[in-house]
Amino acid sequence: MALTDVQILELPRINDPRGNLSFIENGAKCLPFDMARVYWIYDVPGGRMRHGHAFYATYELIVALSGSFDVVLSDGTEQRRIHLCRSYTGVYVPAMTWRELDNFSTNSVAMVLASSLYDELDYIRDFEQYKTLMSDAVR
């Protein structure tokens, strides 16, 4: 995994004077994996952070459905910050990428589409452990 594998994806958008519409479909060109789970993060106090983690095998697409926040990504040596504020733009996060969400605006909603069902054994929750795993993988 490298931060160059991270992609900013523009989702389909249908503009309409009555209100715009965006969508995500399995098997469509807009999602580089089949989704198995969708969850959302909300009621994060403005300016606050959600602690990070990485997944051994799960891929994610993170979208700001409402408001804004930053997705902070790391490969153990480099870091990249992406600001999300449009509901038709998402960040594709490959497996083995450390990610944190921070700088939430008030009343923001983060929607996350995941390639697998919840499995606690897939999580890496300690950044030092993550850096060691990434360092060992390079050797």
Side-chain angles (χ1 to χ4, degrees):
M1 191 298 303
L3 289 182
T4 55
D5 297 330
V6 170
Q7 299 174 38
I8 298 172
L9 302 178
E10 187 153 329
L11 302 172
R13 182 171 49 165
I14 299 170
N15 294 315
D16 189 302
R18 301 168 297 165
N20 299 330
L21 180 140
S22 288
F23 60 91
I24 300 170
E25 297 175 328
N26 267 338
K29 296 177 186 175
C30 61
L31 193 60
F33 57 85
D34 284 337
M35 68 180 134
R37 175 172 56 124
V38 178
Y39 63 95
W40 45 100
I41 301 166
Y42 56 96
D43 289 343
V44 178
R48 297 298 297 267
M49 171 189 181
R50 295 275 304 187
H51 290 284
H53 61 268
F55 292 105
Y56 287 104
T58 299
Y59 298 84
E60 293 184 318
L61 179 71
I62 304 171
V63 178
L65 283 185
S66 180
S68 65
F69 54 88
D70 293 346
V71 180
V72 184
L73 304 162
S74 176
D75 62 5
T77 55
E78 295 183 48
Q79 188 178 78
R80 182 175 174 194
R81 178 178 294 269
I82 300 170
H83 183 71
L84 290 179
C85 62
R86 300 279 187 225
S87 59
Y88 55 84
T89 303
V91 176
Y92 167 65
V93 182
M96 292 304 294
T97 305
W98 187 266
R99 63 107 163 144
E100 299 173 351
L101 304 178
D102 76 358
N103 195 29
F104 281 84
S105 66
T106 302
N107 296 322
S108 59
V109 178
M111 179 181 69
V112 183
L113 289 78
S115 64
S116 63
L117 299 176
Y118 175 81
D119 179 0
E120 182 59 34
L121 297 177
D122 192 31
Y123 282 77
I124 306 166
R125 297 190 184 274
D126 179 88
F127 188 62
E128 293 305 315
Q129 176 191 4
Y130 170 77
K131 288 194 312 187
T132 300
L133 288 167
M134 293 304 288
S135 176
D136 291 346
V138 171
R139 291 184 203 161

